Amino acid sequence: RLVGEGIWKQRFKDMVACEDYMSRNGIVPVKFFLNVSKAEQRKRLLSRAQDPDKHWKFSMTDIAERRLWDRYVEAYEDTIQHTATEQAPWHVVPADNKWFTRLVVGATIVDALEKLDPRLPQPDAVALAELKKAEQALLAEG
């Protein structure tokens, strides 16, 4: 082991602090966990091994890491539980069907953007007067 157990509590606090800082500065964190089932992962890995166009995606390390599936699930759940906040919640998205995953992620992003309600800044009287002068100068050039 490269790090002690206590490192994760510290990292979780750092993640939450970073997202809190971003939120206070007008950045809206939108976090997704794309949850692929073990059966779907097996199907995708087999496809990579069998399809010559996907061979570049295949790695034997995927097979070794797959043996640690339960530990990864525990780590993901722990991370989500300790880093989900009101200003930066996690969106856990079923990811076995790519079309559905894309639909949910896209809709979530659109919803976040709509909540921001972005608008162009409105010029004040001084800026409007400067714009009028600039317009007149450009029109005078003929």
Side-chain angles (χ1 to χ4, degrees):
R1 234 180 225 191
L2 297 176
V3 295
E5 290 293 325
I7 191 72
W8 295 110
K9 288 181 184 178
Q10 185 179 1
R11 287 186 180 170
F12 294 152
K13 285 181 184 178
D14 290 344
M15 288 180 219
V16 170
C18 180
E19 293 165 354
D20 185 50
Y21 173 80
M22 290 189 305
S23 295
R24 286 192 320 270
N25 285 281
I27 298 168
V28 179
V30 182
K31 303 183 298 194
F32 296 97
F33 174 71
L34 305 182
N35 192 17
V36 176
S37 70
K38 193 172 184 179
E40 179 62 20
Q41 184 198 51
R42 178 182 179 274
K43 179 179 150 190
R44 292 179 188 182
L45 291 172
L46 276 171
S47 177
R48 292 174 186 178
Q50 296 169 346
D51 183 345
D53 290 337
K54 295 181 181 179
H55 285 174
W56 66 273
K57 292 182 178 183
F58 185 81
S59 171
M60 282 303 293
T61 59
D62 291 331
I63 304 306
E65 293 299 315
R66 185 173 161 76
R67 292 184 191 113
L68 302 172
W69 184 271
D70 292 338
R71 290 179 66 190
Y72 275 106
V73 169
E74 186 180 313
Y76 296 144
E77 289 173 351
D78 202 28
T79 301
I80 291 167
Q81 180 182 8
H82 287 91
T83 62
T85 62
E86 186 175 332
Q87 71 270 11
W90 278 96
H91 302 274
V92 179
V93 183
D96 283 1
N97 297 302
K98 291 181 181 182
W99 68 267
F100 180 76
T101 304
R102 292 174 181 144
L103 177 70
V104 171
V105 169
T108 303
I109 291 170
V110 167
D111 184 55
L113 290 170
E114 286 176 344
K115 285 178 183 173
L116 288 174
D117 193 25
R119 297 171 189 262
L120 295 173
Q122 297 299 312
D124 60 15
V126 173
L128 286 172
E130 288 177 354
L131 283 169
K132 192 66 174 166
K133 286 181 187 177
E135 177 187 19
Q136 290 169 353
L138 289 167
L139 287 172
E141 288 180 8

